[in-house]
Amino acid sequence: ILSDNEKLMRRKLATLYRVVDMLRWTQNIFNHITVRVSPGSNTFLINPFGLVYDEITASTLVKVTDTGDIINEGSTRLGISKAGYMLHSAIHAARPEVQCVIHVHTAAGAAVSAMACGLMPICQEALIVGDVSYHDYNGILVDKAERQQIADDLGPKNMVKGHCCEISVCVRVCVCVSVSVCGI
């Protein structure tokens, strides 16, 4: 039986998946958005591996702990992406105040990630983002040892740029605007 709060988080997250899809920030099934079931909880919701964003509903979301235990496999029983879990669990474990993590691949994010100078504070959107941390791409994330490096690279900042992707973290459930910028 789901709590009222978990039902609400499931609906909000499913809606966010649809918004991200409408903005064309998806890359087939290889991006993820997670949200804690409740503030301070060690459980979060993630998409099942194999569904594209416009197929994700509140009931298909998978509830997982930050140690990898699946609590509720959702209605599809597809499981989750190991790489998606590794990335999101690293951030959720390192930053207990973070409620939502958004990992997307946009053309703008890929362009900025490819620049040696990174994101420069030369436009309104860049100023909204604030300080950005960087994490070097080491291939598909399947090594648990890299989780600590991701957490260290993110530090107290709310966005990390990797090789051709952006990862945004929000203290409360995010409202996305512009180029993967999270506003509270």
Side-chain angles (χ1 to χ4, degrees), residues 20-92:
V20 168
D21 182 61
M22 287 180 357
L23 294 170
R24 299 176 192 246
W25 289 353
T26 64
Q27 191 177 50
N28 297 315
I29 59 172
F30 300 107
N31 303 122
H32 310 281
I33 307 170
T34 56
V35 67
R36 284 189 197 274
V37 173
S38 59
S41 169
N42 73 334
T43 58
F44 58 91
L45 300 170
I46 189 168
N47 57 314
F49 191 63
L51 294 185
V52 293
Y53 276 32
D54 69 353
E55 296 175 319
I56 296 168
T57 65
S59 66
T60 62
L61 292 166
V62 178
K63 183 178 176 181
V64 63
T65 67
D66 58 12
T67 57
D69 298 318
I70 294 179
I71 307 281
N72 180 326
E73 59 188 6
S75 61
T76 66
R77 301 178 187 222
L78 290 172
I80 59 173
S81 160
K82 183 176 182 179
Y85 159 75
M86 293 291 244
L87 173 64
H88 288 257
S89 66
I91 295 169
H92 282 293

Side-chain angles (χ1 to χ4, degrees), residues 36 41 44 66 86-98 101 146-157 169:
R36 284 189 197 274
S41 169
F44 58 91
D66 58 12
M86 293 291 244
L87 173 64
H88 288 257
S89 66
I91 295 169
H92 282 293
R95 298 279 300 276
E97 80 282 11
V98 167
V101 179
E146 193 175 350
R147 288 174 45 163
Q148 187 58 50
Q149 186 60 51
I150 289 168
D152 292 345
D153 288 345
L154 177 62
K157 297 176 181 168
V169 299

Side-chain angles (χ1 to χ4, degrees), residues 10 17 25 42 54 73 78 84 87 103-105 137 156 184:
R10 285 176 172 276
Y17 272 103
W25 289 353
N42 73 334
D54 69 353
E73 59 188 6
L78 290 172
L87 173 64
H103 171 208
V104 294
H105 295 251
Y137 180 68
I184 305 291

